[in-house]
Amino acid sequence: MMKIYDWYTGPYPARVRIALGELGLQSQVEFESIDLWKGEHKTPAFLEKNYSGTLPVLELEDGTLIAECTAITQYLDALGDKPLLTGTTPLEQGIIHMMNKRAEIEFLDAVSVYFHHSTEGLGPDVELYQNDEWGQRQRDKAVRGMRYFDGVLKQQPYVAGQTFTMADIAVIGGMIFAELVDLAVPEECEALLAWYAKVQERPSVQNRLALSAPNPVPA
Ligand SMILES: N[C@@H](CCC(=O)N[C@@H](CS)C(=O)NCC(=O)O)C(=O)O
């Protein structure tokens, strides 16, 4: 069985959990909790699994390790007969990859930097270097990113075009992280908010936390 190292409420882990739900692969993976709040992702043992010290990480049955949400999603999507999240034609694949990367750079990763640099983040034991000015700049960048994706979603139903793809999942990750840090979506971003209401109805999004959680589930 494949294994995923993650932390169940993490916005990046959410991306892979949603992908698993979309692909119907939930029963083919087991989860091992790495407690971000205790800094378990920065231990020497975990850094051997992922040099970057981030979650999630997928471990295959032969021990091969795949980190990075995009890479994990592409791997999982390629296991089936037909990719559902990463495109089939060269054009689809290119557009989806671009929009997924853009969702990371302009939104999700920017919220993450804000969290780690301008809030308490994961606490003083984990956040060894903080630069508030950098965090604030990335916060502003994330809000600009929200406005950008709002414009995209005014033109088309999903982030990369006519169907739900991994680029939508990356923007969902950004929305989840923004909620966690109380970064509000500007009211006028109506298309982004309507899209988010719609994608939150997907079972993959609704059930992501139930996939596996530490036992007992912390409040
Ligand atoms: N580029 C990575 C980012 C992953 C990431 O930042 N994950 C968060 C969990 S939500 C993390 O591990 N943060 C811990 C830290 O940066 O100390 C990916 O796409 O997988």
Side-chain angles (χ1 to χ4, degrees), residues 68-207:
E68 294 296 325
C69 292
T70 304
I72 296 169
T73 303
Q74 279 179 327
Y75 174 81
L76 294 173
D77 201 28
L79 292 178
D81 298 335
K82 184 181 184 297
L84 298 176
L85 299 173
T86 56
T88 40
T89 67
L91 179 63
E92 283 169 3
Q93 289 173 347
I95 299 281
I96 292 167
H97 196 113
M98 171 180 73
M99 295 308 282
N100 179 76
K101 187 78 185 168
R102 195 169 280 169
E104 293 182 333
I105 294 174
E106 306 296 342
F107 184 23
L108 171 58
D109 291 352
V111 179
S112 178
V113 173
Y114 168 67
F115 168 73
H116 289 292
H117 286 274
S118 297
T119 75
E120 287 178 7
L122 294 171
D125 294 340
V126 183
E127 308 294 354
L128 301 180
Y129 169 74
Q130 293 195 296
N131 182 330
D132 182 48
E133 193 194 346
W134 177 234
Q136 296 295 342
R137 277 180 179 256
Q138 294 297 306
R139 176 192 178 285
D140 295 347
K141 179 176 184 175
V143 175
R144 285 197 301 276
M146 289 173 179
R147 294 185 194 281
Y148 166 72
F149 284 107
D150 180 62
V152 169
L153 291 162
K154 279 192 169 70
Q155 308 293 324
Q156 57 194 37
Y158 294 100
V159 172
Q162 299 303 312
T163 60
F164 183 89
T165 68
M166 83 169 161
D168 292 278
I169 300 179
V171 178
I172 293 170
M175 296 293 276
I176 291 171
F177 215 154
E179 274 167 28
L180 272 175
V181 297
D182 290 327
L183 187 56
V185 177
E187 260 173 43
E188 62 271 25
C189 290
E190 287 173 9
L192 177 62
L193 290 165
W195 162 89
Y196 193 41
K198 182 176 67 178
V199 294
Q200 277 181 301
E201 286 171 13
R202 298 176 84 88
S204 65
V205 180
Q206 290 193 355
N207 300 335

Side-chain angles (χ1 to χ4, degrees), residues 10-13 15 36 41-42 53-56 68-69 104 116 122:
Y12 290 84
R15 291 169 63 190
L36 286 170
H41 56 300
K42 300 297 184 197
T54 55
L55 302 175
E68 294 296 325
C69 292
E104 293 182 333
H116 289 292
L122 294 171

